Amino acid sequence: SAQRFSGKTALVTGAAGNIGLAVAKRLAQEGAQLVLLDLDGEKLEKSKGEIAALGVKVETAVCDVTNYGSVEAAVAKAEDTLGAIGLLFNNAGYQGAFAPIHEYPVDDFERVVQIDLVGAFHVLRAVSRRMVKQKFGRIVNTASMAGLQGPPNMGAYGSSKFGVVGLTQIASKDLAPYNIRVNGIAPALMGPGFMWDRQVELQAKTGTQYFSADPEEVKKQMIGSVPMRRLGDIEEIPGTVAFLLSDDSSYIIGVTLPISGG
Ligand code: NAD
């Protein structure tokens, strides 16, 4: 495919996960060298192998996005080894528990906000302060349709992702003067896979009016709510992220693009 990212270094968080790896591969195929960050060091090494096989330089750093010092150290190390970071896919996340607000576990709520919202801010801050100095940056934050529509039983996740949508709008304004564009994506029901199975199982267990107690029925209910009547494939995400990181979207800032089948 076209080499839109030749000579650029891209940093991807959540790079041991499904979406992070799929996007990292696409950026590598289009010529970028990669810095992969994740909390899971073992899976991260697997991702590293897959990117190296594409023939580009790749570095990894194990990092906990909830800890600013850990993020800052990883970004500094990345810059030392691969040079200025021009592209950021800010994507680490955790889905949390499924329960109505009056029963939602307090410690899990705080954990989800720390990873999905505060973590996204930590990465955005550590990377953008370097982009400001070089007067170049392209950033995509991973939100979710849960951050645009407020699904039931996902209080912590949905609230955090609404926060990411807001952070994207605000950062796009704060950073526009420095030739840094910030946008976001909002995937919806992606599958098959772990996140899909987990949400079907856990929504069924909530016993709330919105979903059947039978997971097979929940699948039908969820897919029935999608105008395109199917799940999204992980491979339908990288092209959109690459578009937002490339000059093909040169006059677009502050948007969170749904990848949701309608
Ligand atoms: P995934 O679980 O495969 O990947 C998430 C990755 O984030 C994991 O590798 C995990 O180790 C990492 N991570 C978690 N906590 C971390 C921390 N504190 N520090 C550093 N890394 C951490 O899931 P995915 O589907 O690839 O999700 C990627 C992003 O997409 C997430 O932000 C998720 O909320 C979002 N999303 C996913 C879907 C979906 O259906 N898969 C839908 C909408 C949004």
Side-chain angles (χ1 to χ4, degrees), residues 14-20 38-40 43 63-66 91-94 115-116 142-145 157 161 187-190 195 199 234:
N18 292 317
I19 295 174
D38 204 285
L39 189 58
D40 186 332
K43 278 178 76 188
C63 147
D64 181 351
V65 297
T66 67
N91 165 74
Y94 163 60
I115 297 170
D116 291 355
T142 302
S144 167
M145 284 308 283
Y157 185 76
K161 294 298 192 179
L189 304 175
M190 311 305 296
M195 260 197 145
Q199 69 187 297
I234 294 291

Side-chain angles (χ1 to χ4, degrees), residues 128-194:
S128 68
R129 47 194 291 274
R130 294 172 164 86
M131 289 175 167
V132 162
K133 288 188 192 134
Q134 73 207 25
K135 291 217 163 53
F136 179 89
R138 307 287 180 249
I139 297 172
V140 172
N141 296 320
T142 302
S144 167
M145 284 308 283
L148 295 169
Q149 291 182 332
N153 304 315
M154 299 182 79
Y157 185 76
S159 307
S160 303
K161 294 298 192 179
F162 268 89
V164 172
V165 172
L167 192 61
T168 299
Q169 289 181 5
I170 292 160
S172 77
K173 290 171 186 159
D174 290 348
L175 299 172
Y178 304 99
N179 185 30
I180 301 169
R181 291 192 299 107
V182 185
N183 288 294
I185 57 165
L189 304 175
M190 311 305 296
F194 173 72

Side-chain angles (χ1 to χ4, degrees), residues 81-253:
T81 44
L82 289 185
I85 295 155
L87 314 172
L88 168 63
F89 184 44
N90 191 7
N91 165 74
Y94 163 60
Q95 204 176 36
F98 284 75
I101 287 298
H102 59 287
E103 290 168 3
Y104 200 96
V106 172
D107 57 343
D108 185 81
F109 195 102
E110 288 168 1
R111 186 160 119 80
V112 173
V113 173
Q114 279 301 317
I115 297 170
D116 291 355
L117 180 56
V118 181
F121 161 70
H122 285 159
V123 174
L124 193 53
R125 185 186 192 281
V127 175
S128 68
R129 47 194 291 274
R130 294 172 164 86
M131 289 175 167
V132 162
K133 288 188 192 134
Q134 73 207 25
K135 291 217 163 53
F136 179 89
R138 307 287 180 249
I139 297 172
V140 172
N141 296 320
T142 302
S144 167
M145 284 308 283
L148 295 169
Q149 291 182 332
N153 304 315
M154 299 182 79
Y157 185 76
S159 307
S160 303
K161 294 298 192 179
F162 268 89
V164 172
V165 172
L167 192 61
T168 299
Q169 289 181 5
I170 292 160
S172 77
K173 290 171 186 159
D174 290 348
L175 299 172
Y178 304 99
N179 185 30
I180 301 169
R181 291 192 299 107
V182 185
N183 288 294
I185 57 165
L189 304 175
M190 311 305 296
F194 173 72
M195 260 197 145
W196 166 243
D197 291 338
R198 183 176 185 274
Q199 69 187 297
V200 165
E201 292 284 327
L202 296 183
Q203 283 288 25
K205 283 202 184 109
T206 60
T208 57
Q209 66 182 354
Y210 300 102
F211 297 104
S212 164
D214 171 11
E216 283 312 307
E217 198 51 41
V218 173
K219 283 186 185 173
K220 287 187 196 139
Q221 290 176 313
M222 286 188 175
I223 293 170
S225 73
V226 178
M228 286 180 74
R229 290 291 189 276
R230 66 169 177 84
L231 296 178
D233 189 287
I234 294 291
E235 287 309 321
E236 292 178 288
I237 293 179
T240 302
V241 177
F243 164 69
L244 290 172
L245 290 175
S246 78
D247 291 343
D248 290 343
S249 59
S250 54
Y251 201 50
I252 300 176
I253 70 166

